[in-house]
Amino acid sequence: MSSKAGTWTETFNHPDRFIQGWHWALRSRDLKVGQVKPVQLLGRELAIYRNQDGQVVALDAYCPHMGAHLAEGKVDGTGIRCFFHNWKFDSQGHCVDVPCLGKMIPAKLSSWPAVEHYGLIWVWTGETPQQSLPFVPELEHTHCDVMFGSHFFKNCHPNVLLINAIDAQHFNTVHNFPIQIVFRTETLHRNAITFSNTTRGGDESWLMRLILPFYKNEGTYSMCYWYGSTGTVTLGPDFLHFYIMFTLRLLEGGKTEGQTVLITKKRPGLLGWLLNRLILFVTQLVGNYFAKGDTQVFQTIKFNLKTPTKADQSIVQFMQHVEQQQPLAWGTWEPTSELAQAPVTEKLQTNSGTQPEPERVWEAV
């Protein structure tokens, strides 16, 4: 169990575990046609290349002949050749040519599904994708323009960094937000969950009196989490929503590398393109506002939720959501011994530790 996260968690905040799913590998624009790059993703060494048809391919990095790194090689049509002895592998990792033999042999590399979305290359950490790529729920079937925000590193696990966006209490204590935020949850599927604001108020604040006329109901603020490592934020007045993606990946020692992506729906023509540049710029300002003030916490935090209160309900729900997904081991990408198939409530009831059930703590505090 992950003692850092609490006595009832087995995957959340575990330094050697992550959720099977789609994980960000690199930016699309950084991989040209005919180019191959080395990528270490979740402890596994990959060679990712863009073939002559423009398709992205992700293979295990080391040639099965003598272990040379394929990123030292070159793209050949839809396949790749090892620099050392010129063996060629196709997009599925099969050896299709050994020049010194003049034929193929039954050698194979592991290949991983790789696709592009929101300007990023994503890799599925398994044989066959079970769920969709991360997306902004409001923009699921919409063509989008994107702009990259900050690329950052944090001294904590991606799971821990993501809870900041649904830590309702910290909006008041850190950001001086003049209303109490309460979240409603909705599960999209096993690997995706949303937290949406349900409150309206703050009439005593000049800021809220200024912006509330632009909202028909409660203020729009929604966070959708994917695979415990990517989150998309939707916020803003009714007439214009802003969309920000935070996609994170686990680094060695339980740390985080992250990329911010600013998103808006594509608008036609030159005026549409210019308008989108303005919207994306404003989106970045909005994201910077919410990031300012508490980011240093995640360089020093030693997360251990010992005393959850009712205000922490959304955080506990996210932790439970992570626990119900399939954990994989750092480096091997193999399922861990705890398959996380049992309902979280059942795990909490059978736990022999001293941590009380979160619901009971909420009632008592």
Side-chain angles (χ1 to χ4, degrees):
M1 294 185 183
S2 177
S3 61
K4 292 182 181 180
T7 58
W8 54 270
T9 60
E10 296 172 342
T11 302
F12 184 92
N13 194 30
H14 196 297
D16 297 319
R17 294 182 188 175
F18 61 94
I19 300 302
Q20 182 183 60
W22 290 106
H23 294 269
W24 154 64
L26 68 162
R27 298 186 299 184
S28 292
R29 69 188 188 191
D30 292 337
L31 190 69
K32 310 301 183 185
V33 171
Q35 193 173 25
V36 56
K37 289 202 168 184
V39 176
Q40 186 186 77
L41 182 63
L42 301 165
R44 197 176 189 101
E45 299 289 345
L46 304 177
I48 299 182
Y49 70 92
R50 190 181 298 279
N51 66 27
Q52 296 301 329
D53 293 336
Q55 300 300 309
V56 174
V57 179
L59 301 175
D60 273 357
Y62 296 106
C63 179
H65 180 209
M66 288 192 183
H69 200 298
L70 289 180
E72 302 288 343
K74 63 180 180 180
V75 176
D76 184 356
T78 58
I80 188 170
R81 286 192 181 273
C82 177
F83 169 79
F84 207 13
H85 298 99
N86 220 25
W87 288 25
K88 183 177 180 179
F89 299 88
D90 67 13
S91 60
Q92 299 303 309
H94 297 284
C95 179
V96 294
D97 181 39
V98 179
C100 68
L101 297 178
K103 60 180 182 180
M104 65 179 67
I105 62 172
K108 188 179 185 305
L109 294 160
S110 292
S111 63
W112 308 97
V115 295
E116 299 180 80
H117 192 44
Y118 292 148
L120 295 172
I121 294 171
W122 305 79
V123 174
W124 176 269
T125 55
E127 292 185 2
T128 304
Q130 303 298 314
Q131 302 287 3
S132 65
L133 285 159
F135 60 82
V136 178
E138 286 189 4
L139 302 178
E140 180 178 4
H141 303 294
T142 305
H143 294 291
C144 296
D145 279 342
V146 301
M147 184 174 79
F148 291 114
S150 58
H151 176 219
F152 55 88
F153 297 85
K154 297 296 179 183
N155 193 31
C156 66
H157 195 286
N159 295 160
V160 173
L161 188 57
L162 283 178
I163 65 173
N164 192 47
I166 53 170
D167 183 349
Q169 190 176 13
H170 103 283
F171 285 104
N172 306 128
T173 58
V174 175
H175 300 292
N176 298 314
F177 210 60
I179 64 172
Q180 180 184 14
I181 294 179
V182 179
F183 289 108
R184 176 185 66 252
T185 63
E186 179 183 358
T187 300
L188 299 186
H189 52 68
R190 181 180 178 88
N191 300 112
I193 187 171
T194 62
F195 293 82
S196 301
N197 171 52
T198 64
T199 58
R200 181 183 178 94
D203 294 335
E204 69 284 356
S205 164
W206 69 267
L207 174 62
M208 298 308 297
R209 290 198 302 269
L210 181 65
I211 66 176
L212 279 178
F214 298 103
Y215 294 89
K216 182 178 180 181
N217 299 305
E218 66 274 2
T220 297
Y221 179 83
S222 178
M223 187 78 182
C224 184
Y225 288 112
W226 302 81
Y227 310 106
S229 61
T230 293
T232 60
V233 181
T234 300
L235 74 163
D238 294 340
F239 66 90
L240 179 62
H241 286 172
F242 301 103
Y243 309 101
I244 307 172
M245 171 180 280
F246 302 94
T247 183
L248 314 176
R249 57 189 179 205
L250 181 64
L251 300 179
E252 189 171 7
K255 300 180 181 181
T256 293
E257 180 180 4
Q259 176 66 59
T260 303
V261 185
L262 316 170
I263 304 168
T264 191
K265 66 179 181 180
K266 189 177 287 292
R267 293 172 173 83
L270 177 60
L271 289 179
W273 184 88
L274 292 172
L275 176 59
N276 277 3
R277 303 286 77 72
L278 176 61
I279 291 173
L280 292 172
F281 174 73
V282 175
T283 303
Q284 187 170 34
L285 295 179
V286 172
N288 290 342
Y289 169 79
F290 282 101
K292 184 179 180 181
D294 55 3
T295 55
Q296 72 272 15
V297 171
F298 298 100
Q299 301 292 23
T300 57
I301 192 170
K302 299 295 182 184
F303 184 83
N304 190 353
L305 186 57
K306 295 180 180 179
T307 53
T309 69
K310 188 173 183 179
D312 300 319
Q313 180 175 357
S314 56
I315 295 173
V316 175
Q317 288 172 329
F318 176 61
M319 293 168 69
Q320 293 173 339
H321 170 68
V322 170
E323 290 299 301
Q324 295 178 64
Q325 301 179 64
Q326 175 62 66
L328 302 182
W330 169 269
T332 67
W333 294 11
E334 294 292 330
T336 62
S337 56
E338 296 89 353
L339 297 180
Q341 297 297 330
V344 171
T345 52
E346 180 178 310
K347 291 185 178 183
L348 289 170
Q349 292 168 359
T350 60
N351 191 286
S352 59
T354 58
Q355 175 74 33
E357 286 189 33
E359 289 78 7
R360 293 178 182 174
V361 177
W362 300 338
E363 293 172 359
V365 176

